[in-house]
Amino acid sequence: MSALFKNGRSGLRQRSFRKPTEDPIWLKALLGTLAIGFIAVLLLLPLALVFKEALAHGLSPFWAAMIEPDSLAAVRLSLTAAAIAVPLNTVFGIAAAWSIAKFDFRGKTFLVTLIDLPFSVSPVVSGLIYVLVFGMQGWLGPSLADHNIHILFALPGIVLATIFVTFPFVARELIPLMTDQGRDEEEAAATLGATGFQTFLRVTLPNIKWGLLYGVLLCNARALGEFGAVSVVSGHIRGVTNTMPLHVELLYNNYDYVGAFAVAALLAMLALVTLVLKTLLEWRYADELAASHRH
Amino acid sequence: MSLTVDSVSKKFGRFPALNGASFVAPQGGFVSLLGPSGSGKTTLLRILGGLEFADGGSVRFADLNWLDMPARTRNAGFVFQQYALFKHMTVADNIAFGLRVRPRHKRPSKGDIQNRVKQLLDLVQLPGLDARYPSQLSGGQRQRVALARALAIEPRMLLLDEPFGALDAKVRKELRADLRRIHDHAGVTTIFVTHDQEEAFAVADLVAVMKDGRIEQYGTPAEVRRNPRTAFVSEFLSA
């Protein structure tokens, strides 16, 4: 009798160990292996290969390829383009998200579609659009050339193409967030006497800062890495209009593998820095982050 | 300094939310707008707060053409059903918000703001909670903070939109009594929206029963209860 009772109890205990939502161990193991394998083969392996190839002949050829004047020029150009495009898209993105999330107006859906356009259009096509507008055979090209203004095959064209391609990142990140937050806090601020600008600075901005930061980081990563659109408008002038991704291609096509992978490694490291920065901020402000998600 | 609401109307698309609502609230009065959902009571309150714009009619408060003023200059404290506290600010910063956004020449000194926050926390019976964040408070406590925040600006008018709607019965009763006490203490004209007739009758000096964007009956709780003027009012009160 007592043995039976004991058996019954231990059986019960075994069952209560498993939560109702928990899956059997073999399924967990299978899914886990699949996921890790996927990440390893598709993400980690290529990244490791980039560094392996870059360092294939040791550190000094790698370093020489990095500080080669054309490479440095490409780094400088990429950083300049990002430094102009990212702040502008941050402002555009906040303005677009603010108007879409906090106001009702005719044509709102159309505006959202427009914002998504750069995601759905191939970057090469968006580069070509600028060629059609600003090129010598284009609408504005001849008159701009008369006034000695160069857009294509120069920094302005590269910046324009980068802005176009990276436009949705900040806005896309913010629209659902701001829609979800609603207008309550802004309305409360207005009844308490705050001006529109005070409301934005003291209420809206603090509420969206994490989403904004994330959007800006994504936007920055893409701005540095953009290839297609920039490739069309840049003209590939070595040391002048070659951005980092274009320079990687150029070196690779010239069979300079160490050079190509060295610049690629640098590009990858910039992306990693972005990621580390994001993780650090999330870790540092974890409490505040959690507090703003609850409520 | 009485509040005169005269035939205010408002349409959302083709749906008429307000159909010529009129009433007069005496200075320092406590008026309850009572009605089922969709009767236009919240719309009327939001128009008084400057959060919604009337299509027609007029509102005068003292000698002010109330509807021509933006929400920001009306100095009307608004309390929302879902609290609408600033999540990223402490309780003290929430309460001080309305004082801190004032133009420099009207802004109290830091010390004065601190004192005012402390007084208000005592008034709403939350002493010592100034450093908490809204997410660390219960629903009733949040609404007390919202009330303190609205009172901080020394409002000309206090507007409450179903302030106790999200709270349980016991907390509602406590807060209701506190609200009445605070109203009597501050003497500020108060408009209180609710769909709960027991609450309206318990707390207000005057009750406006609303239906389909109009005021069906307006009077003291005793009058309205004794002489329901329309079939709708008597039905709504007996429900």
Side-chain angles (χ1 to χ4, degrees):
Chain A
M1 174 69 205
S2 104
L4 223 156
F5 185 68
K6 211 173 155 191
N7 263 344
R9 259 247 303 250
S10 77
L12 198 75
R13 190 183 295 158
Q14 237 172 23
R15 233 176 297 135
S16 69
F17 259 153
R18 232 176 86 188
K19 291 182 191 140
T21 52
E22 209 168 286
D23 292 313
I25 186 94
W26 62 268
L27 187 62
K28 282 197 281 188
L30 181 71
L31 289 176
T33 319
L34 252 167
I36 292 167
F38 228 76
I39 290 172
V41 172
L42 291 179
L43 293 176
L44 297 179
L45 201 63
L47 194 64
L49 269 178
V50 166
F51 286 95
K52 184 190 162 270
E53 287 294 324
L55 295 165
H57 301 288
L59 213 57
S60 64
F62 171 75
W63 185 246
M66 287 258 244
I67 60 165
E68 194 253 335
D70 288 351
S71 296
L72 283 182
V75 173
R76 213 174 301 127
L77 181 63
S78 274
L79 291 178
T80 311
I84 301 171
V86 174
L88 284 175
N89 270 344
T90 307
V91 175
F92 295 158
I94 294 174
W98 164 271
S99 49
I100 286 166
K102 308 279 175 180
F103 300 96
D104 293 317
F105 52 90
R106 220 179 264 263
K108 197 158 148 174
T109 338
F110 182 64
L111 185 60
V112 177
T113 314
L114 270 186
I115 289 172
D116 277 343
L117 197 66
F119 273 165
S120 43
V121 171
S122 156
V124 176
V125 175
S126 41
L128 277 174
I129 293 166
Y130 285 107
V131 173
L132 287 177
V133 175
F134 298 113
M136 281 315 280
Q137 272 72 45
W139 293 345
L140 302 174
S143 61
L144 283 172
D146 287 347
H147 294 89
N148 214 12
I149 299 171
H150 303 287
I151 299 209
L152 282 188
F153 315 131
L155 182 65
I158 294 170
V159 170
L160 279 175
T162 308
I163 288 179
F164 182 86
V165 173
T166 58
F167 182 74
F169 285 95
V170 174
R172 263 286 140 211
E173 196 66 38
L174 291 184
I175 290 169
L177 183 68
M178 288 171 91
T179 309
D180 187 46
Q181 285 174 348
R183 302 168 203 180
D184 289 8
E185 290 186 36
E186 278 82 6
E187 287 182 347
T191 63
L192 291 167
T195 62
F197 187 62
Q198 283 174 321
T199 304
F200 176 74
L201 222 57
R202 287 165 178 260
V203 177
T204 311
L205 204 56
N207 271 336
I208 61 168
K209 64 181 172 200
W210 292 107
L212 181 63
L213 183 75
Y214 195 62
V216 168
L217 287 177
L218 282 179
C219 181
N220 186 53
R222 181 65 193 268
L224 287 174
E226 175 52 25
F227 181 83
V230 172
S231 170
V232 177
V233 297
S234 112
H236 302 268
I237 308 167
R238 218 179 153 143
V240 184
T241 65
N242 245 2
T243 61
M244 285 170 78
L246 300 184
H247 197 58
V248 171
E249 191 209 23
L250 188 130
L251 293 172
Y252 187 82
N253 287 345
N254 290 340
Y255 306 105
D256 181 357
Y257 295 129
V258 171
F261 282 108
V263 179
L266 190 61
L267 205 52
M269 276 192 288
L270 281 175
L272 288 178
V273 166
T274 313
L275 271 178
V276 169
L277 210 66
K278 177 180 155 278
T279 315
L280 271 180
L281 282 165
E282 275 176 356
W283 174 68
R284 165 75 180 75
Y285 294 101
D287 290 347
E288 207 180 315
L289 209 61
S292 64
H293 279 312
R294 259 183 282 146
H295 193 57
Chain B
M1 287 262 283
S2 59
L3 171 73
T4 310
V5 177
D6 188 14
S7 0
V8 171
S9 62
K10 169 77 184 174
K11 271 187 183 158
F12 290 113
R14 292 178 60 196
F15 172 75
L18 281 176
N19 240 329
S22 309
F23 72 93
V24 177
Q27 158 65 17
F30 197 130
V31 176
S32 199
L33 301 179
L34 174 67
S37 44
S39 60
K41 52 194 192 310
T42 291
T43 306
L44 183 53
L45 192 80
R46 287 174 61 85
I47 287 174
L48 291 177
L51 301 175
E52 214 76 72
F53 300 96
D55 296 335
S58 71
V59 175
R60 298 196 68 80
F61 183 63
D63 54 349
L64 300 167
N65 196 346
W66 197 242
L67 295 185
D68 286 350
M69 300 161 65
R72 169 167 81 74
T73 59
R74 288 188 195 189
N75 203 32
F78 205 106
V79 177
F80 299 81
Q81 180 172 5
Q82 295 299 332
Y83 325 120
L85 291 176
F86 306 125
K87 300 190 269 297
H88 61 286
M89 294 184 201
T90 61
V91 166
D93 289 340
N94 263 284
I95 297 173
F97 183 87
L99 301 173
R100 292 207 178 119
V101 295
R102 282 188 187 169
R104 199 174 294 270
H105 63 279
K106 285 191 200 160
R107 198 183 306 156
S109 72
K110 272 188 181 166
D112 286 350
I113 291 181
Q114 257 178 22
N115 287 337
R116 183 106 185 93
V117 167
K118 205 175 152 347
Q119 280 171 13
L120 283 161
L121 278 173
D122 287 341
L123 184 69
V124 297
Q125 305 188 337
L126 293 176
L129 290 192
D130 47 335
R132 296 268 191 96
Y133 282 90
S135 59
Q136 300 166 322
L137 301 178
S138 72
Q141 288 174 324
R142 286 181 203 179
Q143 203 54 295
R144 284 170 189 269
V145 173
L147 189 59
R149 181 178 69 175
L151 290 169
I153 57 171
E154 282 160 333
R156 283 195 267 232
M157 192 190 286
L158 192 57
L159 304 167
L160 303 109
D161 184 13
E162 305 239 11
F164 313 140
L167 306 171
D168 64 64
K170 183 168 167 287
V171 179
R172 283 172 87 112
K173 277 207 173 126
E174 280 169 27
L175 266 173
R176 184 206 287 172
D178 279 351
L179 174 64
R180 183 70 219 197
R181 177 178 57 81
I182 289 165
H183 166 265
D184 296 345
H185 169 87
V188 57
T189 309
T190 301
I191 316 287
F192 177 90
V193 160
T194 181
H195 63 266
D196 179 345
Q197 51 135 326
E198 192 238 327
E199 189 165 87
F201 286 146
V203 78
D205 304 326
L206 288 159
V207 176
V209 184
M210 293 189 70
K211 183 204 172 202
D212 297 338
R214 273 205 197 83
I215 288 168
E216 288 273 300
Q217 188 169 5
Y218 183 50
T220 64
E223 267 168 34
V224 174
R225 201 173 292 166
R226 207 178 324 119
N227 287 320
R229 211 166 47 201
T230 64
F232 169 78
V233 175
S234 71
E235 212 169 288
F236 185 73
L237 296 190
S238 64

